[in-house]
Amino acid sequence: MNEDIKKTIDYLKEGLKEDPSNIVFGKLNDGIEGDREVNSLKVGKYFDLLNLTNGARCGDIDLWSYSELERNQYVLSDIQDEKESWLSIGQILYEPLIMNRFDGNVYRFNMDEDDTLMNCFGELDFFLKNYVFGSGYCIAIPNSEEDDWFLFLKKKGIISD
């Protein structure tokens, strides 16, 4: 995992602790750091994020903790292949957020009556830096200019005006 992302997560964890009401829109848990027996091969590159924050709520983006992963894999029933390439890692506005375990690319999985669409956000580090902790949050989350997470990122200087 990119050092800048590690620093950003540590910085934002401290910022969220400054005001208990921040829990309404943001929460970055402590990392697992070997506390549990985690199969890093099964979770792919997501393992690095779990070591930093074992689950997160970043405005309208939720990232599953290790204990939540298994019960949230049901969304993959129609796309999972024999290699089990896919891992459901969270949700954006209640739409599944999935990652290819082998290349680390993150997708928003949209299902409607007629079609299944997957919008790629790039590799996990890129997704975190640009969409979860960056100005790309506005691209992922419509009408987010007054969103509490977005305003928090601006207040903390992560996103410039």
Side-chain angles (χ1 to χ4, degrees), residues 4 8 11 16 19 27 30 33 35-37 40 68 74 85 95 105 107 119 123 127 137 151 158:
D4 289 340
T8 298
Y11 176 66
L16 288 169
D19 183 352
K27 185 167 187 246
D30 290 334
E33 299 175 16
D35 287 349
R36 297 178 181 85
E37 204 171 299
S40 62
E68 295 171 310
Y74 69 93
S85 301
E95 293 178 336
N105 283 320
Y107 300 81
N119 301 324
E123 198 271 329
F127 169 72
Y137 184 82
L151 294 174
I158 304 294

Side-chain angles (χ1 to χ4, degrees), residues 107-118:
Y107 300 81
R108 177 187 277 174
F109 185 56
N110 302 318
M111 290 177 36
D112 63 24
E113 294 173 12
D114 302 324
D115 217 353
T116 298
L117 303 170
M118 294 196 325

Side-chain angles (χ1 to χ4, degrees), residues 118-136:
M118 294 196 325
N119 301 324
C120 186
F121 290 107
E123 198 271 329
L124 181 62
D125 280 3
F126 183 86
F127 169 72
L128 294 170
K129 182 177 181 177
N130 293 288
Y131 293 98
V132 179
F133 305 122
S135 59

Side-chain angles (χ1 to χ4, degrees), residues 2-161:
N2 179 311
E3 277 303 313
D4 289 340
I5 296 170
K6 291 178 183 180
K7 289 177 185 174
T8 298
I9 288 173
D10 288 341
Y11 176 66
L12 292 176
K13 278 182 182 180
E14 292 303 313
L16 288 169
K17 290 177 185 175
E18 291 171 3
D19 183 352
S21 68
N22 288 344
I23 198 164
V24 171
F25 63 85
K27 185 167 187 246
L28 295 166
N29 298 319
D30 290 334
I32 55 174
E33 299 175 16
D35 287 349
R36 297 178 181 85
E37 204 171 299
V38 175
N39 183 345
S40 62
L41 294 175
K42 186 170 173 101
V43 297
K45 295 179 181 192
Y46 196 64
F47 179 76
D48 293 337
L49 182 64
L50 292 171
N51 276 321
L52 296 173
T53 179
N54 186 18
R57 180 175 49 261
C58 305
D60 288 324
I61 300 174
D62 293 309
L63 300 168
W64 306 140
S65 68
Y66 184 72
S67 64
E68 295 171 310
L69 283 173
E70 189 172 337
R71 74 172 175 252
N72 284 295
Q73 298 310 302
Y74 69 93
V75 300
L76 302 173
S77 61
D78 291 337
I79 66 162
Q80 194 64 276
D81 58 20
E82 65 280 348
K83 295 179 193 173
E84 295 189 2
S85 301
W86 299 103
L87 180 71
S88 173
I89 61 169
Q91 61 185 7
I92 295 180
L93 294 170
Y94 303 105
E95 293 178 336
L97 189 61
I98 63 175
M99 183 187 80
N100 183 295
R101 290 187 313 116
F102 300 110
D103 65 17
N105 283 320
V106 175
Y107 300 81
R108 177 187 277 174
F109 185 56
N110 302 318
M111 290 177 36
D112 63 24
E113 294 173 12
D114 302 324
D115 217 353
T116 298
L117 303 170
M118 294 196 325
N119 301 324
C120 186
F121 290 107
E123 198 271 329
L124 181 62
D125 280 3
F126 183 86
F127 169 72
L128 294 170
K129 182 177 181 177
N130 293 288
Y131 293 98
V132 179
F133 305 122
S135 59
Y137 184 82
C138 287
I139 297 168
I141 310 298
N143 305 313
S144 59
E145 293 78 21
E146 298 302 318
D147 178 278
D148 287 333
W149 179 253
F150 184 74
L151 294 174
F152 174 72
L153 293 175
K154 285 177 83 169
K155 177 181 172 186
K156 290 300 183 184
I158 304 294
I159 297 173
S160 58
D161 288 326

